[in-house]
């Protein structure tokens, strides 16, 4: 379902239009929300929802790769998630390992490159070891970049960038006049990745929750009520079709 507040004025229904393979968003970011509510609805513990959510990732990666998407960024763990009960945090931080134990061989086979965006320093050593192995084992691949936001917060990322820029000014290696948008972008966690073209958030929440605030300046936003464990390849295609129906202007005026 297309987000309630974001239907196009002419009300064109994306399910009726064909997919345009020449206009695929090159970077899709997803806030994978609703795992806990999915589990609660079934009388299961929240962790059962998180586990189910990892299976969906594999399907969506495969479909994104088929569509020709270049970068898929997934919000896996936020800097705010530390506030959850300890048992749930412990479980969440084991998911990178269990996901990679199950799927890394297939990701390698599919030519995927694994990346991480976030603060590694206070993650458990076992988590860091698992992701470092995956990054290393996929570093020579040149297909889809699968970028996991792990211990990520956008305000934290911007604070770190500002600290570094201020320090460069202080030491004299940078002058204040050289601070511009490109320089700020270059100091974020993953400067090599272009900004997302399309953001998807599942589970009915219509907000950004401290996710990629700088990078989402011109991104098309797409919201669905579907809980992440129920998200499907078909719904990904629907989001891409909706993206294709929108005229992106980057602040300019529409041509033609
Ligand atoms: C997590 C499962 C998906 C739904 C959203 C929250 C729970 C995959 C990873 C992961 C992270 C890094 C990596 C490989 C896999 C993951 C966390 C939570 C913390 F290199 N899913 N998933 N990490 N969830």
């Amino acid at each position: 379902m297309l987000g309630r507040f974001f239907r196009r004025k002419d009300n064109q229904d994306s399910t009726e239009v064909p997919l345009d393979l020449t206009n695929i968003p090159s970077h899709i970011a997803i806030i994978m929300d609703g795992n806990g509510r999915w589990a609660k609805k079934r009388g299961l513990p929240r962790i059962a929802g998180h586990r189910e959510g990892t299976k969906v990732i594999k399907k969506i990666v495969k479909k994104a790769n088929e569509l020709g998407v270049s970068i898929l960024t997934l919000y896996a763990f936020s800097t705010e998630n530390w506030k959850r009960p300890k048992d749930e945090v412990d479980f969440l931080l084991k998911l990178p390992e269990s996901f990679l134990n199950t799927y890394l061989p297939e990701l390698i086979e599919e030519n995927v490159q694994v990346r991480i965006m976030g603060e590694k320093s206070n993650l458990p050593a076992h988590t860091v070891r698992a992701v470092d192995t995956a990054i290393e084992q996929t570093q020579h691949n040149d297909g889809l970049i699968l970028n996991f936001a792990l211990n990520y917060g956008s305000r934290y990322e911007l604070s770190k960038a500002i600290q570094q820029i201020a320090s460069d000014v202080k030491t004299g290696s940078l002058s204040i006049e050289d601070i511009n948008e490109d320089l700020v972008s270059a100091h974020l966690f993953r400067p090599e990745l272009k900004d997302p073209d399309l953001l998807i958030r599942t589970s009915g929440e219509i907000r950004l929750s401290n996710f990629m605030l700088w990078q989402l300046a011109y991104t098309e936003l797409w919201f669905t009520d579907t809980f992440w464990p129920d998200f499907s390849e078909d719904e990904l295609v629907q989001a891409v079709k909706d993206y294709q129906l929108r005229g992106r202007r980057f602040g300019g005026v529409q041509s033609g």
Side-chain angles (χ1 to χ4, degrees):
M1 208 246 309
L2 179 58
R4 288 155 296 198
F5 311 115
F6 298 91
R7 196 169 279 282
R8 265 169 65 90
K9 281 195 285 295
D10 61 9
N11 225 13
Q12 193 166 0
D13 187 344
S14 63
T15 54
E16 289 166 17
V17 300
L19 184 66
D20 176 3
L21 288 170
T22 68
N23 183 23
I24 298 292
S26 46
H27 184 175
I28 300 179
I30 308 183
I31 303 177
M32 308 178 288
D33 200 8
N35 303 285
R37 272 168 285 166
W38 178 91
K40 193 176 175 198
K41 206 175 80 183
R42 286 166 175 72
L44 298 169
R46 290 175 60 80
I47 60 169
H50 296 316
R51 195 184 295 116
E52 198 63 24
T54 60
K55 297 183 196 163
V56 178
I57 293 178
K58 185 57 203 17
K59 288 197 301 188
I60 296 306
V61 169
K62 189 153 193 268
K63 188 66 188 182
N65 215 353
E66 274 171 29
L67 291 174
V69 172
S70 306
I71 308 164
L72 185 65
T73 293
L74 302 177
Y75 206 176
F77 191 87
S78 78
T79 48
E80 287 74 35
N81 285 158
W82 295 104
K83 295 178 199 148
R84 295 197 180 168
K86 186 178 183 302
D87 285 356
E88 186 176 343
V89 169
D90 288 348
F91 182 85
L92 283 168
L93 294 177
K94 283 184 193 133
L95 284 177
E97 280 155 283
S98 57
F99 176 87
L100 293 165
N101 283 336
T102 310
Y103 298 119
L104 185 57
E106 287 172 59
L107 295 175
I108 293 170
E109 180 71 22
E110 289 164 12
N111 198 22
V112 167
Q113 316 176 53
V114 176
R115 309 260 170 100
I116 293 295
M117 173 171 78
E119 181 57 66
K120 269 188 188 176
S121 68
N122 50 343
L123 287 170
H126 63 89
T127 310
V128 175
R129 216 177 302 121
V131 302
D132 280 348
T133 306
I135 292 165
E136 195 198 297
Q137 292 194 24
T138 61
Q139 65 179 336
H140 300 300
N141 289 351
D142 60 7
L144 179 91
I145 294 173
L146 176 56
N147 180 38
F148 285 101
L150 193 58
N151 199 16
Y152 176 84
S154 185
R155 290 181 173 189
Y156 176 80
E157 177 185 44
L158 283 163
S159 304
K160 284 282 162 190
I162 292 164
Q163 277 180 14
Q164 185 58 53
I165 292 166
S167 155
D168 291 348
V169 169
K170 193 178 179 186
T171 62
S173 65
L174 180 71
S175 62
I176 286 181
E177 297 72 43
D178 292 333
I179 300 174
N180 57 29
E181 294 182 19
D182 287 341
L183 183 103
V184 173
S185 293
H187 283 80
L188 301 179
F189 286 137
R190 291 260 69 95
E192 77 279 18
L193 304 184
K194 61 166 293 215
D195 293 340
D197 303 290
L198 172 64
L199 172 83
I200 296 172
R201 180 169 189 157
T202 58
S203 191
E205 309 297 343
I206 315 292
R207 53 178 122 81
L208 296 178
S209 300
N210 201 17
F211 187 54
M212 300 183 90
L213 301 177
W214 176 273
Q215 299 92 326
L216 294 174
Y218 293 105
T219 304
E220 296 293 334
L221 310 178
W222 195 87
F223 300 93
T224 174
D225 288 336
T226 305
F227 295 144
W228 176 251
D230 292 326
F231 192 76
S232 65
E233 293 97 325
D234 285 353
E235 215 172 355
L236 176 69
V237 170
Q238 206 195 315
V240 171
K241 285 182 182 178
D242 279 324
Y243 163 87
Q244 293 177 342
L245 288 173
R246 299 181 191 181
R248 295 186 79 197
R249 292 188 296 273
F250 295 94
V253 290
Q254 193 137 34
S255 59

